Amino acid sequence: MPCVAKKEEIKRPELRDNDFADVDIVLSTRELGRMIKMFGIDYANLEDSEFDSLMGESTGAGVIFGTTGGVI
């Protein structure tokens, strides 16, 4: 999950190119949780499916990033 500082970071002018933002939206974990509840998604009863490897194999960098202490 992104750091909540990303909420302000996406507004920075240097993260835009010709009036197009590099990032469209940032959701915090709490906001995602609220959306899941709002739409009544019941994870316990979702049917299983195969992993979608649209972006290819993971490098594990996300795990390292999340455990380095640089994320709130």
Side-chain angles (χ1 to χ4, degrees):
M1 293 286 120
C3 172
V4 293
K6 295 290 183 201
K7 294 272 191 195
E8 291 299 316
E9 189 175 304
I10 64 170
K11 298 175 185 176
R12 293 170 56 175
E14 63 268 24
L15 297 177
R16 303 183 71 76
D17 186 28
N18 295 325
D19 290 329
F20 290 100
D22 293 339
V23 177
D24 294 321
I25 191 167
V26 175
L27 287 175
S28 69
T29 305
R30 285 184 180 182
E31 291 169 325
L32 179 61
R34 287 183 191 129
M35 289 175 67
I36 290 168
K37 286 181 181 179
M38 183 174 73
F39 286 101
I41 298 171
D42 181 8
Y43 280 100
N45 292 311
L46 292 176
E47 70 179 64
D48 291 336
S49 63
E50 292 296 317
F51 175 71
D52 181 6
S53 61
L54 176 67
M55 301 301 284
E57 295 294 319
S58 171
T59 64
V63 174
I64 295 169
F65 179 76
T67 59
T68 59
V71 179
I72 61 171

